Amino acid sequence: MDPERAGWAPPIPDPGKVICLGRNYQAHADEQGVAAPEAPLLFPKVRTALIGQGAPIELPDPAIEDRVDYEAELAVVIGRRARRVSEAEAMACVAGYTILNDVTGRRTQRAEKQWLRAKGFDSFGPCGPWIVTPEAIPDPHALAIECRVNGELRQSSHTGLMIFRIPFLISYLSQTMTLEPGDIISTGTPAGVGEARQPPVFLQAGDVVRCTIAGIGTLENPVRAGAQVQ
């Protein structure tokens, strides 16, 4: 094993689907200077982006992407097959909750209409440290959420500020695609991303990113330089 890649595996190492939301907090849309979406803004996170607790976020070759940003998010893990479920039925399909850091290459994101590449670099999906069952989190919309980089508070918000809430999201998605056990829905990030700071601040080799959600714990990942393209 490469000691520089040491760390836990993500709690769901091979999910069938990782579905993410963009701009699901009004303040995050505001800091980006765009309107909040009228319907969920969805994009996939590829499975090969996932890493676990303690594993490094690897920076791409800066010639390809040099504006790497953090996004702390509450993630929902599906535990029961859900096809065309109602909002009233949706929460019975939840196996639990975890944390996902939707690491994003902002240069790529701004250059392309689709976000697949910007969100899909290897290691751009730290997830964990574990899954907490619904019994331990009776209200997933009542959780403090924050992100710190090198101990500096960057994001501080509350999951009650989501625009589209979890029962709606599960029902909405299940009208189109069957959600299966192990699928992950990441519910969007609040304000405070590095791109929106003045001046913008992006992740650098040697940084440590800590995403914390009350009732779940802390997902911590170091940042390191990746191999450059030859």
Side-chain angles (χ1 to χ4, degrees):
M1 177 183 293
D2 182 351
E4 293 187 347
R5 294 178 178 269
W8 299 7
I12 304 292
D14 193 27
K17 295 185 280 296
V18 183
I19 304 165
C20 299
L21 267 79
R23 301 171 189 156
N24 197 30
Y25 289 76
Q26 181 67 55
H28 179 48
D30 291 344
E31 72 179 355
Q32 292 190 315
V34 296
E38 296 183 1
L41 178 59
L42 304 171
F43 58 91
K45 194 86 168 177
V46 297
R47 292 179 291 176
T48 49
L50 295 181
I51 58 174
Q53 168 81 354
I57 299 166
E58 295 191 2
L59 299 175
D61 185 330
I64 297 173
E65 176 56 73
D66 61 350
R67 298 181 179 179
V68 178
D69 210 345
Y70 52 84
E71 293 190 4
E73 304 192 3
L74 173 66
V76 181
V77 179
I78 297 298
R80 181 184 301 177
R81 186 175 184 270
R83 182 172 185 267
R84 298 181 181 176
V85 299
S86 67
E87 288 187 49
E89 299 168 317
M91 296 306 284
C93 301
V94 174
Y97 304 95
T98 189
I99 303 169
L100 190 141
N101 182 357
D102 181 21
V103 179
T104 304
R106 298 297 186 194
R107 183 179 295 280
T108 306
Q109 185 181 34
R110 302 307 167 209
E112 300 178 359
K113 292 182 179 180
Q114 300 293 332
W115 295 357
L116 179 64
R117 275 205 330 131
K119 305 283 192 174
F121 286 89
D122 286 348
S123 80
F124 274 26
C127 186
W130 40 64
I131 298 170
V132 176
T133 62
E135 292 77 14
I137 300 181
D139 185 358
H141 305 102
L143 307 176
I145 179 171
E146 69 172 41
C147 179
R148 294 178 182 267
V149 179
N150 303 327
E152 178 187 9
L153 185 63
R154 299 285 183 86
Q155 293 181 284
S156 181
S157 189
H158 192 277
T159 58
L161 298 176
M162 289 181 196
I163 296 171
F164 302 107
R165 294 194 166 205
I166 293 166
F168 172 80
L169 291 172
I170 292 172
S171 177
Y172 180 85
L173 287 164
S174 77
Q175 307 309 313
T176 304
M177 64 191 76
T178 300
L179 300 175
E180 299 174 317
D183 286 351
I184 297 171
I185 303 169
S186 199
T187 58
T189 200
V193 298
E195 179 186 47
R197 295 172 67 87
Q198 297 299 326
V201 179
F202 298 107
L203 295 178
Q204 304 293 325
D207 288 347
V208 176
V209 185
R210 302 180 81 243
C211 301
T212 301
I213 299 180
I216 298 177
T218 295
L219 172 66
E220 179 174 310
N221 299 90
V223 180
R224 77 171 196 182
Q228 295 189 3
V229 175
Q230 301 297 318

